[in-house]
Amino acid sequence: KSIHQFLKKLCFGSLSSAKSITKQQILTEEKMNKRFNFTILITSLLCFVPMIVGLILWNKLPEELPTNYSLNNEVGNVAPKWINIILLPIIFATLNIVVNMRISPKTEENVGKRLASFVVWLVPILAVVVGTFMIIKPLGLPLEAMSLVASFMSLVFIIVGNYIPKSKPNNVVGFRLPWIMNDDDLWKKTHRFSGLVLVICGFASFITSFFVIGKYVFLVSLGIIIFVPLIYSLIIKNNK
């Protein structure tokens, strides 16, 4: 009788546990899907803020708007204003959906929740800042294009630099080169170092972003951020 009870408990207990785990997994998955759908909806709607601004100012805007600026803050190319007001937000919204699709639960685990959230919100923030700037700049906005780019990207460098040292190998952010991706210890060391480089260069670039020298500091900082951690990773790799 005791053996029978033991077998019954073993079989049905395991089955009950499996059902409980399955139900829990389903609930977790549903919760994550709801969060994903809500996030993608809000971030996509934010991408259309410049469109609303442009439509409100439509009659005050010239027929053609700049599509890019040079390093000297001179207008590069121009295009009909509907390009900046209608097409550009659609492009940003599409890019936002692609980025959201890349951040899977497994990716979020490796990237880190805070850094993954920042990556998800980066596109709509960029859409609002850059999209709105491209529309209202011709109306006399005193802010220069390079100052905006340098200051905005400097803040991105600082934020990413704070979180990227805690990341694990992933397919979204970081130095995703074969010798780094295939070595967890090398990934960790490279991204600890790159985090420090990002923060230092970010602060240096942000402080100077509203001065004449700012564009040069930003470009030098960008080069350092890209190449110095790569050289560091190769040195670490060859010394192993």
Side-chain angles (χ1 to χ4, degrees), residues 187-199:
W187 173 281
K188 191 174 181 179
K189 289 179 179 178
T190 299
H191 288 84
R192 274 184 181 173
F193 179 73
S194 66
L196 180 63
V197 171
L198 278 160
V199 171

Side-chain angles (χ1 to χ4, degrees), residues 122-136:
L122 182 58
V123 174
I125 293 170
L126 188 65
V128 172
V129 173
V130 174
T132 305
F133 174 84
M134 296 299 287
I135 292 169
I136 65 176

